[in-house]
Amino acid sequence: METDTDCGQPMMKRLRDHEVKSIPQSHVEEVEIHPQHSEHGKLLGVAALILNVVIVAFLIAIVFVDISLTTIGSLSSTARALYVTGTTVLASLCTYLTASQIRMLWLRRVDIQLYNGKSYERVDPFWRTVLDVSSISETLRYWNVSLTFLVCGLTTTAVVAGLASSPSSYQIVQNYALADPNDYHCITTESSSPQQEGIWTFPNGSFYQIWVNLDFCPTSLIMSLMGNINVIDSSNYGYADLGVAIHSSALGAPASIYSSQAATDSSAVPLWLNETLDTYKTDLLSTSQCVPVLTANPIQCTRENNITFSSDGYLIITSSDGCIATAYPGLAALNTTQSGWSASGICSRSDIGSATIVIGGFLADAGYAAEAIGDITYIHEWDAETVPIPKLYGISCTVDTASVVDTRNVTLTLLDDSGNTGSFARSLSAQNLQSCTPISSSGGLNPITDKLLVTAAMGPWQLLNLGALETLRSVLINSALSQVNNDHTIYVRQPPFAFNNSRNALEDVLGLSSALAMSRLTMTGNTGRAEYTGTAMVANTRVGTGERWALVYILPPLVSSIVLLALLMTTRRQTPFTASRLTDLVAIWNHRLNG
């Protein structure tokens, strides 16, 4: 008794023995027809086509439309595992349906070939390839058939990858407050001059007075903040404040927009960042606001030759516009060689926000002053001991804040995972250098006000009052290096500086003191508030990456759709049998043997 083994080879042998080349029409007519199976197969093929078109459309849609999986933050481990499992199961079912219908349609082509009288021997390799039981040579011969199943199989991968959960973000409203220009206790309008620094005269004869020495005013806090300025790589960030690295593009920005400390009774304006952090916690990615900043250094310094040591022991330095600073070292100071004294001060000028700074160095402080502004020629004379006694060095600086204060959109990055600052997780910077117009929710007040300009102008006051050359020496010189061969030029700090227009370390440090004074306007001084509307970005999880490159995932279902459509169009002819049904194959076989 003959057995059917070896993948149908006995059948082919028997066919060859009987020299069967095609199916006689009489045999075809005697095979029972199953029209209901044909119609059912077509419906499933159309369903598979529609399914793949839907998959293609959805994969395209999620590239351009943000479909959120979470409102805040990422999926939990359990939720992520369930999501991946669910998408994998659904993708596998879709792939199974598609592959089965592609196979059925290929078999319909076998039916048509047999019905048209094509020989068994010529149809057999194609039939075996469709059923995925072919040899390697047969698979290569009908590579187009094998390729359709390979591409179809990639649909599972494409769907799972295309629908994978990805980190995303969305924008919310973030309110912030700036100082009210009409309400601030640290700056007042007086009818008579109090005879103090920080006075500007209005045309009507009244005086604009900034109370530089009051404990709760910004100008009295500067010395405590100067330790955080960056003297190593100022181009990275200018200074750190309240745990935030302030980039050179955002110097002077109000500290209230980046302070995460709890508000107190002395807080000048509400610290709304804390409320947002309490709601979104670590999922708050960034905030953006239009705020006043220093776009350039308002202070420019040069050597001042009008410096004297009087016969009664006074050090006096006078600028060309009449700003004077004095100190009393005494005549006995001439007998010392290592000590130094300095005189420094600041005088307001006619225009709001303008002032003059004078700094004079005597003996050792004369060398410090030359190092502070990088006067290499004088330092060489100092090292050669050719500087005449008494050793004097004067500096005068112009201050003009009105020309450099402008508004910029600044962004507080709450988790600087790119490590831009190298030291701080939070950073504040301007994304572009264009002016902006803040969106006001309290009457459209201009945030650039006279009190902002005068506060910045008087920022260096405390440093000068305490003796800038001695108190700031650690940030004015290159203290990381040691003197070699009595060469003091090694102490001169070189660029980069925090401000692009700073020409020396003294200008840069004094400019940063102006920026820090500006930053404290909204943190102290019992100011009123003007409310504005900004934005914040919150992290969440979405379906897909949302990137254009993810469109590549549509290729497997798109190709499968094209294959299904082509096969449906080319296999519409009805046949009284189908190669996908064993009973039909047996019936044809029996009729052939009995014929």
Side-chain angles (χ1 to χ4, degrees), residues 513-565:
S513 70
S514 293
L516 286 165
M518 276 182 59
S519 75
R520 283 301 180 277
L521 266 172
T522 54
M523 294 295 288
T524 185
N526 296 330
T527 180
R529 77 188 189 199
E531 297 180 7
Y532 299 88
T533 300
T535 60
M537 298 302 295
V538 178
N540 71 331
T541 304
R542 60 162 291 163
V543 177
T545 64
E547 302 290 341
R548 297 293 179 89
W549 62 263
L551 291 173
V552 70
Y553 294 132
I554 72 172
L555 291 178
L558 179 61
V559 172
S560 295
S561 299
I562 295 173
V563 170
L564 284 166
L565 180 61

Side-chain angles (χ1 to χ4, degrees), residues 24-96:
Q25 189 65 27
S26 60
H27 292 169
V28 169
E29 293 173 352
E30 294 174 1
V31 178
E32 183 181 359
I33 300 176
H34 304 279
Q36 69 276 18
H37 297 300
S38 177
E39 292 300 322
H40 181 66
K42 284 184 179 181
L43 290 176
L44 286 177
V46 172
L49 173 60
I50 294 174
L51 176 62
N52 279 270
V53 170
V54 170
I55 292 173
V56 170
F58 190 70
L59 290 176
I60 293 175
I62 62 175
V63 171
F64 301 99
V65 179
D66 191 338
I67 300 177
S68 299
L69 292 173
T70 63
T71 304
I72 302 174
S74 59
L75 291 171
S76 65
S77 298
T78 301
R80 185 181 294 107
L82 292 174
Y83 178 75
V84 172
T85 301
T87 54
T88 303
V89 170
L90 288 175
S92 299
L93 292 174
C94 293
T95 301
Y96 172 77

Side-chain angles (χ1 to χ4, degrees), residues 307-310 313-317 325-329 341-343 360-362 392:
I307 179 171
T308 61
F309 185 74
S310 67
Y314 279 91
L315 175 65
I316 305 170
I317 178 167
T326 63
Y328 182 70
W341 286 266
S342 65
F362 172 56
L392 299 171

Side-chain angles (χ1 to χ4, degrees), residues 9 127 150 228 257 401 507 514 526 545 553:
Q9 292 302 319
W127 177 69
L150 175 61
N228 290 325
I257 68 170
T401 58
E507 288 181 357
S514 293
N526 296 330
T545 64
Y553 294 132

Side-chain angles (χ1 to χ4, degrees), residues 159-178:
V159 171
V160 172
L163 301 184
S165 60
S166 301
S168 184
S169 61
Y170 61 94
Q171 183 174 286
I172 62 171
V173 172
Q174 167 68 21
N175 293 323
Y176 63 102
L178 300 179

Side-chain angles (χ1 to χ4, degrees), residues 256-305:
S256 57
I257 68 170
Y258 56 80
S259 172
S260 57
Q261 67 184 24
T264 64
D265 293 338
S266 63
S267 299
V269 298
L271 305 180
W272 282 320
L273 176 62
N274 273 320
E275 297 179 11
T276 311
L277 283 171
D278 287 343
T279 301
Y280 297 100
K281 298 180 173 55
T282 58
D283 295 313
L284 182 64
L285 300 177
S286 65
T287 65
S288 295
Q289 300 90 5
C290 178
V291 297
V293 299
L294 282 180
T295 61
N297 194 339
I299 301 175
Q300 300 289 294
C301 300
T302 58
R303 184 174 180 180
E304 175 60 63
N305 292 320

